[in-house]
Amino acid sequence: MSFWDGLWPGRSADFESGASASNAIELTKRRPMVSLTKQGAATGNLRVNLSWRMRTSDIGGPDRGGLLSSPLKMFKPDVVQAHTMSMVNVDLDLGCLYELADGTKGVVQPLGGFFGDLNGAPYVKLSGDDRFGSGTGETLFVNLDQREEIKRLLIFVYIYDQTPAFDRTHAIVTLYPSSGPRIEIGLDERAPQARSCAVFTLENVKDELIVRREVKFVYGFQAELDRLYGWGLQWGRGYKSKADR
């Protein structure tokens, strides 16, 4: 893309900057599904990463103004004030509802310390709890070598004990299969009062592992996601330990 293409975005509208530019598959409303089996990526450990940052417009980021009036401004980076309260008050957590082939159901999440197990049931493990949207974010691992034991997974994101702020964050969930391109799912839809979001499902359908984009925001927490997807678990109020907070 030339310099002038950046000034007039319409000139490059015929080109997509997704998979070809970054070796990634982006799941969207128009393209919501991908088969890990057909991608040759249905073995090994599937890494699922959640990362986020505050939108610069919501934390006092400078207004660039028009590029036509000052084209060189496009090369000046935004100043992000990481110490502001708006940054600290958003705590996105990554979780997973699981149903195994034998009918066992449960949840993997930081809340309550349900971090799972990679080599035993449920074959899903959460690496830790990131409270501030660091560079590494939060990561779930799924043992796809045990795919025959997994019936379905629902990966979700929720806001723990803070003001709803999905509309003020730029969050993305990225899947890293053992082989092939990564898979990206952005949570960019504005849902200012939502506290939880069903991001994607992973289902074993006739020995084929299918990833389906959901991106459904709800105003409640895990119990509401449970009802939406028919898990049938019993839920109660949970808290993080001081060490996890």
Side-chain angles (χ1 to χ4, degrees):
M1 179 183 292
S2 70
F3 173 78
W4 296 110
D5 288 333
L7 298 185
W8 284 280
R11 291 188 58 185
S12 59
D14 292 336
F15 300 90
E16 294 196 10
S17 59
S20 60
S22 61
N23 192 31
I25 298 173
E26 182 182 3
L27 297 188
T28 64
K29 288 182 177 179
R30 291 186 176 182
R31 186 185 181 183
M33 291 191 307
V34 63
S35 169
L36 294 182
T37 303
K38 291 181 179 179
Q39 294 283 334
T43 59
N45 290 334
L46 172 67
R47 180 162 59 98
V48 180
N49 177 259
L50 163 69
S51 60
W52 76 93
R53 59 180 172 80
M54 297 300 297
R55 296 180 187 274
T56 53
S57 61
D58 291 319
I59 59 174
D63 183 6
R64 295 279 189 96
L67 286 177
L68 290 178
S69 62
S70 183
L72 294 181
K73 282 188 176 182
M74 68 183 296
F75 300 110
K76 184 177 180 180
D78 287 332
V79 177
V80 178
Q81 298 176 344
H83 63 277
T84 60
M85 289 300 293
S86 61
M87 288 286 288
V88 175
N89 282 344
V90 179
D91 180 11
L92 299 185
D93 281 341
L94 184 65
C96 173
L97 286 171
Y98 63 83
E99 181 178 0
L100 303 182
D102 64 3
T104 303
K105 298 179 182 179
V107 64
V108 174
Q109 62 180 18
L111 190 60
F114 297 106
F115 288 97
D117 191 328
L118 193 61
N119 296 315
Y123 311 105
V124 178
K125 186 172 179 60
L126 183 65
S127 64
D129 180 17
D130 170 29
R131 296 189 60 220
F132 306 113
S134 67
T136 55
E138 293 192 2
T139 302
L140 270 169
F141 292 92
V142 182
N143 185 351
L144 297 185
D145 289 335
Q146 300 295 329
R147 59 191 177 278
E148 294 181 356
E149 304 296 329
I150 299 172
K151 181 177 180 180
R152 60 171 178 158
L153 306 177
L154 171 65
I155 280 68
F156 61 90
V157 174
Y158 64 98
I159 297 175
Y160 172 75
D161 199 27
Q162 296 289 352
T163 302
F166 274 113
D167 63 326
R168 293 192 290 115
T169 61
H170 178 75
I172 185 169
V173 172
T174 307
L175 290 71
Y176 296 90
S178 58
S179 63
R182 67 184 184 272
I183 302 166
E184 297 178 346
I185 305 173
L187 308 184
D188 288 334
E189 297 177 17
R190 294 301 180 100
Q193 297 302 316
R195 287 189 174 275
S196 305
C197 178
V199 182
F200 72 90
T201 56
L202 174 63
E203 292 190 77
N204 195 334
V205 182
K206 296 181 180 179
D207 295 326
E208 184 176 3
L209 288 180
I210 304 293
V211 174
R212 179 189 295 272
R213 176 190 183 272
E214 299 291 335
V215 190
K216 293 181 180 178
F217 291 92
V218 299
Y219 298 106
F221 291 98
Q222 292 88 328
E224 190 168 345
L225 292 173
D226 183 316
R227 288 191 295 269
L228 186 62
Y229 287 89
W231 238 264
L233 300 176
Q234 297 294 322
W235 297 91
R237 179 63 176 172
Y239 300 90
K240 292 184 182 180
S241 66
K242 291 183 179 180
D244 291 332
R245 292 182 184 184

